Amino acid sequence: MANNLRGEVIRLYKTMLYLGREYPKGAAYFRGRLKAAFLKNKDLTDPEQIKKLVARGDFVIKELEALYFLRKYRAMKKRYYDPEK
């Protein structure tokens, strides 16, 4: 694996690990699944395949952020708006 791809993979792992702290099923559950996913693909050497997986990881990051924003929005809406309307 080239050094620039290694750096991207490490950045992806750290970002996902940080986002996993707020995961609905718990941080430990997320950390275990994340580690298993990265260990499953640790022997890849094809740069194109690694780039595809990094792109998929970036997509997962966006989905997690959307999940968290939606959860916060629902909490704020529940707090400030009348639920009977």
Side-chain angles (χ1 to χ4, degrees):
M1 181 183 342
N3 277 342
N4 60 345
L5 289 178
R6 178 178 169 82
E8 282 192 44
V9 171
I10 291 172
R11 174 202 54 85
L12 180 69
Y13 186 80
K14 285 182 177 182
T15 304
M16 291 182 82
L17 198 58
Y18 177 78
L19 288 173
R21 295 182 312 161
E22 296 180 34
Y23 195 69
K25 287 189 176 182
Y29 173 82
F30 187 86
R31 191 178 322 113
R33 298 281 305 254
L34 180 65
K35 184 176 180 180
F38 273 79
L39 285 177
K40 181 177 82 171
N41 297 312
K42 74 177 183 172
D43 295 325
L44 290 179
T45 55
D46 181 29
E48 292 302 317
Q49 204 169 16
I50 294 171
K51 287 178 186 177
K52 284 182 186 177
L53 290 171
V54 168
R56 181 181 164 111
D58 288 334
F59 174 76
V60 170
I61 286 173
K62 290 177 186 174
E63 290 293 315
L64 282 171
E65 288 173 344
L67 174 75
Y68 297 157
F69 287 138
L70 182 62
R71 185 177 65 188
K72 288 178 183 178
Y73 170 76
R74 286 180 178 163
M76 294 292 285
K77 187 176 179 183
K78 186 188 264 186
R79 228 175 264 153
Y80 293 110
Y81 292 104
D82 189 15
E84 295 160 5
K85 285 187 177 181

